[in-house]
């Protein structure tokens, strides 16, 4: 069995780690031919920006599918600080979703995906602010490592490094850091420890992908002199695919479902423009690789390989792709003799995949169950099928990380299914399946990843796999297949899921925030889930001094894997106001388990398991609430109703289609969820009913909406204009414009202390123009900016109150911020008869 040097193995891990819970690719002859063309192109381009969805999919698709270049996208963050239009996941869970959306997007447009350790901590107005929160040196180090590993000939930035303050601070920072990384990636003295895995690298040129956004509008851009810009005709139509480049790009862009970026493909002429920033300018304005040898001649010993592979491309038989296998195997053997480790690793992987595609070679390792615990036995079914007339041999199969090797030496005759069933044991020290960047606590601005080899890897790093050695004409080819789980769904048919390693038990608090507004104890539920059969142990809660838990521990026992049991503790708060994080700790066979299992399951991405410390926020809070009944109208998705219930309110989710005066009569207040007027079409027909509800003496609270499309122009009963104003510094001073207003005094006296401990931001998309009927309550601003007074606006309408707020309650309530609860209680009580 052939062994690769460690550098090559790491390079392969870096470049090709991907989602495994999708059906195996089944390439057509057109796909194979395109792969052969790509095999004969030795050039690469790296696109750099700040977030998922910042990338230009038209340009990535053009470079990958038309130019046949190896094309990568480096997103500095995983998009953790954004909003979520498809669910309630925020922060790191949203980052997991957006990571998978990028991986799926790259599968469509042909690019590869990379990340740095930077955490998307939320909106930042200037790069100086961004780089105070990010660890600039670590992010720069990550960029240099990706450049040294990927070895791009060309780097393209999405944003302009010369325009701080005109866009998101993360955006400008990504471009500024790219300038530095371009210059220093070649310097052996900078980040020298990386050189154990990679080599210094100098890209040939760096360009800025400009557009009308940076010119102040399409009209200005059309009139601008663009003669000095590089331009690429990205309006290509791929006859073999039946799609335009823009249509492929739109399909890729539409993977960003959590951000609402569904896109309709276009057709016809299209140009992308780039401004040279560093390096030598291409003499041909429509060729990024001008002056760069992208043939096999660029590497020592490559000329002969290129000759073989050019003939493979020239003589490719679309009716019989397997006819190319002998020459491809010959070229593979020649590639193994190359001194250039970078291209040797990349082209070995590419050509092996092409050979497998030409042979219709199907290799798979399927587990009997979707989950297993360390130390447990797992039944596997391995499958190998050669669907060509070319003689293949299954030489060996090796299972990792157990190391079990099965000698086969079996001929794979055409279309004959070779199956192997075996039991393996998951090593006791096997890592749980979890996003590697979440395994250790980081900082507000950075995830913690200690192993250099993992920097840039996009996806969860999995260990359980089968290594098939297929021999063709005496040449061994090694193929890795990660173990997966699959089953047949009566509606969807064959369904694939990842194979996950899980703890013996996981636990989940039934309430992630529990509010104590007096000294009485409250019942706390914890759900226990068995990761294996016959699990038995005890559960206890860990709380801070001054808090009491009864009983000290609760025994549990479950006979079947996947079974769940809920136990209840009585928790008594401390005498003084305080906030604590309680932990659930299970003891099984003398081992401690403290993880909560979170499964992220959406149709457009692979299933994801996230393991977080099982905890809940307990708050002893000086808060007074009324007995108002609340109707909540969901918007883009938030968890605010859950926390309103924790405050003691009776909350009902009311569907927009059910809104009527008769339905609303039973409620005292209506609260409209985040971005509802951007996303819920039905609301355009219900506004008059909601306004009549207010007019009759009730309260309506509307949470933030963005400046995009509105389903109705009548957002409020009086004129109100939403802007992009926001206060991103969560600790910015809050000033009371109307300190005697009811909303600041009943039933809770709101003080500056109530704005202590806010997370990520104070608020976003504040109104900047409003009718005189509105009273602005709060004023604050980020450092160096003018006051923003639109965070909380109150207006009398008829006998009731209409309240608009851009404050980020959807973030603050799940984070257990006491002041957010107190202020929201006052907002709800505005229409109270006792007020």
């Amino acid at each position: 069995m052939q062994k690769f040097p460690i550098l090559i193995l790491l390079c392969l891990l870096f470049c090709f780690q991907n989602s495994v819970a999708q059906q195996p690719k089944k390439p057509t002859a057109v796909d194979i031919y395109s792969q052969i063309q790509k095999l004969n192109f030795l050039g690469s381009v790296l696109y750099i920006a700040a977030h998922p969805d910042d990338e230009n999919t038209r340009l990535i698709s053009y470079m990958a599918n038309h130019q046949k270049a190896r094309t990568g996208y480096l997103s500095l963050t995983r998009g953790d600080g954004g909003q979520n239009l498809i669910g309630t996941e925020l922060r790191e869970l949203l980052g997991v979703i957006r990571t998978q959306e990028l991986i799926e997007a790259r599968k469509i447009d042909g690019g590869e995906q990379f990340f740095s350790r930077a955490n998307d901590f939320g909106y930042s107005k200037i790069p100086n602010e961004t780089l105070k929160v990010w660890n600039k040196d670590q992010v720069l180090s990550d960029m240099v490592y990706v450049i040294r590993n990927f070895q791009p000939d060309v780097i393209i930035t999405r944003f302009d490094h010369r325009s701080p303050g005109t866009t998101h601070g993360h955006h400008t920072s990504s471009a500024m850091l790219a300038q530095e990384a371009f210059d220093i990636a070649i310097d052996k003295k900078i980040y020298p420890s990386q050189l154990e895995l990679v080599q210094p690298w100098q890209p040939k040129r760096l360009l800025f992908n400009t557009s009308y956004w940076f010119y102040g509008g399409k009209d200005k851009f059309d009139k601008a002199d663009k003669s000095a810009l590089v331009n690429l005709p990205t309006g290509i139509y791929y006859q073999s695919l039946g799609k335009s480049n823009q249509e492929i790009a739109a399909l890729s862009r539409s993977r960003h479902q959590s951000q609402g970026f569904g896109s309709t493909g276009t057709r016809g002429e299209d140009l992308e423009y780039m401004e040279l920033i560093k390096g030598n300018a291409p003499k041909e304005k429509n060729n990024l690789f001008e002056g760069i040898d992208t043939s096999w001649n660029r590497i020592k010993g490559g000329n002969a390989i290129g000759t073989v592979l050019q003939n493979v491309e020239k003589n490719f038989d679309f009716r019989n792709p397997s006819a190319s296998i002998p020459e491809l195997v010959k070229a593979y053997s020649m590639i193994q003799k190359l001194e250039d480790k970078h291209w040797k690793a990349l082209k070995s992987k590419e050509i092996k995949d092409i050979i497998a595609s030409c042979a219709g070679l199907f290799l798979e390792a399927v587990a009997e169950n979707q989950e297993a615990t360390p130390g447990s036995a797992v039944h596997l079914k391995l499958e190998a099928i050669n669907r060509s007339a070319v003689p293949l041999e299954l030489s060996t199969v090796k299972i990792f990380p157990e190391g079990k090797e099965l000698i086969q030496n079996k001929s794979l005759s055409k279309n004959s299914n070779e199956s192997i069933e075996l039991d393996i044991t998951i090593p006791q020290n096997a890592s749980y399946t979890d996003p590697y960047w979440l395994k250790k606590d980081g900082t507000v601005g950075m995830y913690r990843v200690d192993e250099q080899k993992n920097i840039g890897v996009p996806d969860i790093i999995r260990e359980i796999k089968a290594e098939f050695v297929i021999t063709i004409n005496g040449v061994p080819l090694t193929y890795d297949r990660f173990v997966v789980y699959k089953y047949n769904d009566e509606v969807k048919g064959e369904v694939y899921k990842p194979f996950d390693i899980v703890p013996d038990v996981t636990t989940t608090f039934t309430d992630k925030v529990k509010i104590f507004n007096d000294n009485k104890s409250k019942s706390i539920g914890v759900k226990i889930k068995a990761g294996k059969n016959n699990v038995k142990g005890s559960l206890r809660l860990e709380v801070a001094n001054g808090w009491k838990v009864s009983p000290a521990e609760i025994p549990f026992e479950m006979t079947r894997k996947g079974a769940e049991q809920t136990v209840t503790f009585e928790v008594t708060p401390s005498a003084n106001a305080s906030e604590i994080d309680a932990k659930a700790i299970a003891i099984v066979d003398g081992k401690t388990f403290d993880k909560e299992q979170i499964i992220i399951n959406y149709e457009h991405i692979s299933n994801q398991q996230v393991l977080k410390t099982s905890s809940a926020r307990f708050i002893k809070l000086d808060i007074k609430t009324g007995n108002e009944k609340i109707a909540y109208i969901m918007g883009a998705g938030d968890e605010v109703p859950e926390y309103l219930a924790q405050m003691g309110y009776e909350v009902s989710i009311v569907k927009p289609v059910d809104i009527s005066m008769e339905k609303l009569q039973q409620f005292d207040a209506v609260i409209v969820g985040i971005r509802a007027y951007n996303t819920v079409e039905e609301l355009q027909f219900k506004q008059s009913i909601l306004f009549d509800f207010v007019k009759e003496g009730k309260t309506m609270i509307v949470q933030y909406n963005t400046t995009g499309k509105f389903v109705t122009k009548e957002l409020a009963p009086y004129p109100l204009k939403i802007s992009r104003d926001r206060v991103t510094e969560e600790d910015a001073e809050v000033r009371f414009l109307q300190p005697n207003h009811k909303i600041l005094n009943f039933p809770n006296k709101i003080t500056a202390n109530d704005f202590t401990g806010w997370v990520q931001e104070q608020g976003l998309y504040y109104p900047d123009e409003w009718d005189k009927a509105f009273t602005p309550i709060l004023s604050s601003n980020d450092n160096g900016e003018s006051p923003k007074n639109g965070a909380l606006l109150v207006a009398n309408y008829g006998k009731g109150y209409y309240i608009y707020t851009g404050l980020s309650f959807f973030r603050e309530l799940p984070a257990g911020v006491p002041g957010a609860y107190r202020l929201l209680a006052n907002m709800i009580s505005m229409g109270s008869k006792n007020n």
Side-chain angles (χ1 to χ4, degrees):
M1 182 172 61
Q2 187 167 8
K3 297 183 182 293
F4 290 104
I6 184 66
L7 175 62
I8 296 176
L9 289 173
L10 293 175
C11 185
L12 290 177
L13 171 68
F14 178 85
C15 298
F16 300 106
Q17 179 76 22
N18 210 331
S19 173
V20 300
Q22 307 292 327
Q23 291 195 4
K25 291 182 179 180
K26 298 166 185 175
T28 66
V30 169
D31 295 328
I32 297 170
Y33 182 69
S34 179
Q35 292 167 9
I36 293 172
Q37 289 180 307
K38 207 174 188 74
L39 187 64
N40 278 322
F41 191 92
L42 280 70
S44 54
V45 56
L46 182 64
Y47 200 88
I48 297 178
H51 309 108
D53 73 44
D54 282 346
E55 81 275 27
N56 184 337
T57 55
R58 294 184 305 277
L59 190 53
I60 289 175
S61 175
Y62 176 85
M63 297 308 301
N65 296 302
H66 177 72
Q67 189 73 66
K68 305 300 181 184
R70 185 180 179 220
T71 307
Y73 174 46
L74 170 57
S75 174
L76 294 191
T77 76
R78 296 176 183 267
D80 326 79
Q83 286 85 51
N84 186 356
L85 291 181
I86 61 174
T88 59
E89 297 90 350
L90 293 174
R91 292 302 314 148
E92 67 270 17
L93 297 183
L94 178 59
V96 171
I97 291 172
R98 297 184 73 183
T99 291
Q100 292 301 312
E101 289 178 336
L102 271 184
I103 289 171
E104 295 301 320
R106 298 294 80 79
K107 291 178 184 178
I108 292 170
D109 59 35
E112 298 175 38
Q113 186 59 51
F114 309 104
F115 294 97
S116 83
R117 288 171 287 177
N119 190 337
D120 178 8
F121 57 85
Y123 195 87
S124 174
K125 295 179 178 177
I126 56 175
N128 286 351
E129 177 189 349
T130 299
L131 297 175
K132 285 181 182 178
V133 181
W134 287 352
N135 182 316
K136 177 185 174 182
D137 185 67
Q138 287 184 3
V139 179
L140 184 60
S141 169
D142 293 353
M143 296 179 76
V144 168
Y145 182 70
V146 171
I147 290 170
R148 287 171 171 175
N149 208 329
F150 189 74
Q151 295 190 11
D153 298 301
V154 179
I155 292 178
I156 303 172
T157 64
R158 165 77 283 189
F159 299 104
D160 189 351
H161 64 290
R162 300 159 297 191
S163 55
T166 60
T167 183
H168 198 318
H170 296 184
H171 293 168
T172 311
S173 295
S174 71
M176 293 169 63
L177 291 173
Q179 314 301 310
E180 291 189 55
F182 179 91
D183 291 334
I184 66 177
I186 190 63
D187 192 337
K188 295 180 180 181
K189 297 179 182 178
I190 298 178
Y191 309 123
S193 62
Q194 296 180 1
L195 302 183
E196 296 178 7
L197 303 174
V198 293
Q199 297 298 317
W201 181 254
Q202 179 61 66
K204 300 298 188 296
R205 51 185 65 112
L206 182 148
L207 304 102
F208 157 49
N209 181 198
T210 189
S211 72
Y212 68 84
W213 298 339
F214 303 95
Y215 281 72
K218 194 173 186 305
D219 290 342
K220 292 182 179 179
F221 187 62
D222 290 341
K223 295 175 183 177
D225 179 8
K226 298 183 282 292
S227 60
L229 301 180
V230 176
N231 62 83
L232 299 180
T234 54
I236 298 293
Y237 174 66
Y238 303 109
Q239 291 189 348
S240 60
L241 301 177
K243 296 183 183 71
S244 70
N245 187 67
Q246 302 99 310
E247 287 171 323
I248 293 174
L251 292 171
S252 172
R253 183 76 171 165
S254 297
R255 292 296 87 189
H256 296 295
Q257 292 184 18
S258 68
Q259 304 307 295
F261 282 136
S263 179
T264 300
T266 60
R267 291 144 294 279
E269 294 182 354
D270 196 11
L271 289 173
E272 284 293 333
Y273 291 94
M274 275 150 286
E275 176 187 354
L276 180 73
I277 304 296
K278 289 179 180 287
N280 56 346
K283 296 177 181 177
E284 301 171 19
K285 293 300 182 183
N286 59 356
N287 181 6
L288 284 184
F289 291 97
E290 190 276 328
I292 301 170
D293 188 351
T294 58
S295 73
W296 278 95
N297 292 332
R298 77 177 292 170
I299 55 177
K300 182 180 178 182
N303 181 270
I305 299 170
T307 299
V308 174
L309 291 176
Q310 286 294 336
N311 287 330
V312 170
E313 180 178 338
K314 178 181 178 181
N315 298 319
F316 183 74
D317 187 346
F318 285 85
R319 293 171 299 180
N320 180 23
S322 63
S324 298
I325 292 177
E327 289 298 287
L328 287 168
V329 171
K330 177 182 177 181
Y332 172 81
S333 297
M334 297 168 71
I335 290 172
Q336 304 319 297
K337 300 175 183 177
L338 290 175
E339 297 177 9
D340 189 310
K341 295 179 180 180
H342 174 76
W343 287 110
K344 178 181 177 180
L346 292 176
K347 294 305 177 180
S348 292
K349 175 65 171 63
E350 287 182 29
I351 199 168
K352 284 196 302 180
D353 288 345
I354 293 170
I355 291 169
S357 297
C358 287
L361 180 61
F362 183 90
L363 302 171
E364 191 170 71
V366 178
E368 189 173 50
N369 297 299
Q370 196 262 319
E371 295 179 345
T373 58
S376 64
V378 176
H379 186 73
L380 295 184
K381 182 179 179 180
L382 311 180
E383 187 176 354
I385 304 176
N386 169 24
R387 290 174 285 187
S388 74
V390 176
L392 306 184
E393 179 185 271
L394 176 60
S395 300
T396 63
V397 178
K398 193 170 185 178
I399 308 299
F400 290 93
E402 186 183 31
K404 180 182 290 186
E405 185 170 22
L406 306 173
I407 306 299
Q408 297 296 298
N409 296 328
K410 294 180 179 179
S411 175
L412 295 179
S413 57
K414 182 178 180 180
N415 225 24
S416 177
N417 190 330
E418 186 67 40
S419 295
I420 305 169
E421 296 198 29
L422 73 157
D423 291 319
I424 66 168
T425 300
I426 304 298
Q428 286 285 358
N429 62 351
S431 298
Y432 299 138
T433 305
D434 197 26
Y436 70 90
W437 60 95
L438 299 179
K439 288 184 180 291
K440 296 182 179 179
D441 292 337
T443 65
V444 172
M446 298 296 297
Y447 285 119
R448 179 179 171 184
V449 181
D450 294 335
E451 292 192 64
Q452 181 69 58
K453 67 179 182 180
N454 293 340
I455 299 298
V457 176
D459 206 354
I460 288 173
I461 297 173
R462 299 180 183 273
E463 299 175 346
I464 314 301
K465 65 179 181 179
E467 180 186 83
F468 297 82
V469 176
I470 304 295
T471 300
I472 308 175
N473 295 338
V475 178
L477 306 174
T478 301
Y479 293 94
D480 289 344
R481 294 293 183 265
F482 287 98
V483 172
V484 296
Y485 170 70
K486 71 175 181 179
Y487 64 95
N488 183 70
D489 182 277
E490 292 183 355
V491 176
K492 301 176 184 176
E494 188 177 54
V495 176
Y496 280 76
K497 289 190 175 183
F499 175 71
D500 291 335
I501 307 300
V502 302
D504 289 3
V505 294
T506 52
T507 58
T508 304
F509 283 87
T510 54
D511 294 311
K512 293 304 179 66
V513 173
K514 200 73 171 180
I515 296 175
F516 298 77
N517 52 8
D518 54 34
N519 293 324
K520 296 179 181 179
S521 65
K522 288 196 174 186
S523 297
I524 303 296
V526 181
K527 182 173 66 178
I528 310 167
K529 181 181 178 182
K532 64 179 184 178
N533 293 333
N534 302 315
V535 63
K536 180 180 180 181
S538 63
L539 182 72
R540 62 181 173 86
L541 297 189
E542 184 179 275
V543 296
N545 290 336
W547 291 69
K548 298 179 181 179
V549 178
S550 178
E553 63 179 38
I554 298 177
F556 62 85
E557 184 172 1
M558 290 170 282
T559 58
R560 293 186 62 82
K561 176 181 180 178
E564 295 180 349
Q565 177 182 340
T566 299
V567 299
T568 303
F569 295 89
E570 289 295 316
V571 175
T572 305
S574 66
N576 301 318
S578 63
E579 310 159 42
I580 67 166
D581 289 318
K583 287 179 62 177
I585 299 176
I587 307 295
V588 177
D589 297 330
K591 297 180 180 179
T592 298
F593 297 91
D594 65 351
K595 296 298 182 185
E596 174 187 6
Q597 182 190 50
I598 300 168
I599 301 297
I600 297 175
N601 183 15
Y602 291 99
E603 290 287 336
H604 68 299
I605 59 175
S606 170
N607 269 37
Q608 299 295 297
Q609 171 179 275
V610 179
L611 298 173
K612 296 177 63 177
T613 298
S614 182
S615 65
R617 173 63 64 92
F618 294 168
I619 306 173
K620 174 66 183 302
L621 180 60
D622 177 17
I623 185 173
K624 299 179 181 66
T625 60
N627 58 358
E628 291 88 357
K629 296 176 66 177
I630 299 172
Y632 199 92
I633 301 170
M634 295 300 295
D638 60 60
E639 296 177 309
V640 170
E642 174 184 340
Y643 299 103
L644 290 170
Q646 277 293 317
M647 296 168 71
Y649 294 109
E650 184 179 337
V651 185
S652 299
I653 305 295
V654 176
K655 296 180 180 179
V657 69
D658 295 330
I659 294 173
S660 67
M661 282 303 295
E662 182 181 4
K663 177 79 172 179
L664 296 181
Q665 284 302 320
Q666 60 183 302
F667 299 105
D668 301 293
V670 166
I671 300 180
V672 183
I674 62 173
R675 298 181 71 170
Y677 291 101
N678 300 129
T679 60
V680 183
E681 294 287 342
E682 187 71 21
L683 283 177
Q684 65 182 302
F685 308 112
K686 302 296 183 177
Q687 281 297 78
S688 61
I689 299 172
L690 292 170
F691 294 159
D692 286 343
F693 170 82
V694 178
K695 189 181 293 185
E696 290 191 3
K698 306 297 181 71
T699 301
M700 180 178 179
I701 300 171
V702 177
Q703 298 177 83
Y704 95 96
N705 292 269
T706 69
T707 55
K709 172 189 172 185
F710 291 102
V711 300
T712 176
K713 294 180 180 178
E714 297 180 352
L715 197 63
Y718 305 110
L720 181 73
K721 182 181 177 182
I722 307 300
S723 75
R724 298 184 67 85
D725 287 351
R726 61 174 78 203
V727 177
T728 63
E729 297 171 13
E730 57 271 15
D731 57 352
E733 178 193 5
V734 177
R735 300 172 292 275
F736 297 157
L737 299 175
Q738 300 291 334
N740 296 322
H741 196 282
K742 300 174 186 178
I743 206 167
L744 294 177
N745 293 279
F746 179 86
N748 304 286
K749 177 67 175 178
I750 303 300
T751 70
N753 288 336
D754 288 299
F755 291 91
T756 299
W758 283 52
V759 298
Q760 185 160 327
E761 60 201 347
Q762 282 187 5
L764 60 171
Y765 294 99
Y766 293 168
D768 63 349
E769 296 179 21
W770 50 82
D771 189 86
K772 64 182 180 180
F774 284 103
T775 300
I777 303 298
L778 305 174
S779 177
S780 64
N781 54 270
D782 288 328
N783 186 40
E785 293 195 352
S786 61
K788 305 294 184 291
N789 298 338
L792 183 59
L793 303 174
V794 183
N796 284 106
Y797 184 66
K799 299 177 182 178
Y801 292 92
Y802 176 95
I803 302 172
Y804 189 92
T805 181
L807 294 172
S808 58
F809 288 106
F810 72 105
R811 297 195 192 279
E812 311 312 321
L813 300 186
V817 177
Y821 284 92
R822 286 165 44 84
L823 178 57
L824 185 56
N826 284 16
M827 293 163 62
I828 293 168
S829 294
M830 277 298 294
S832 171
K833 295 179 181 178
N834 297 322
N835 191 348

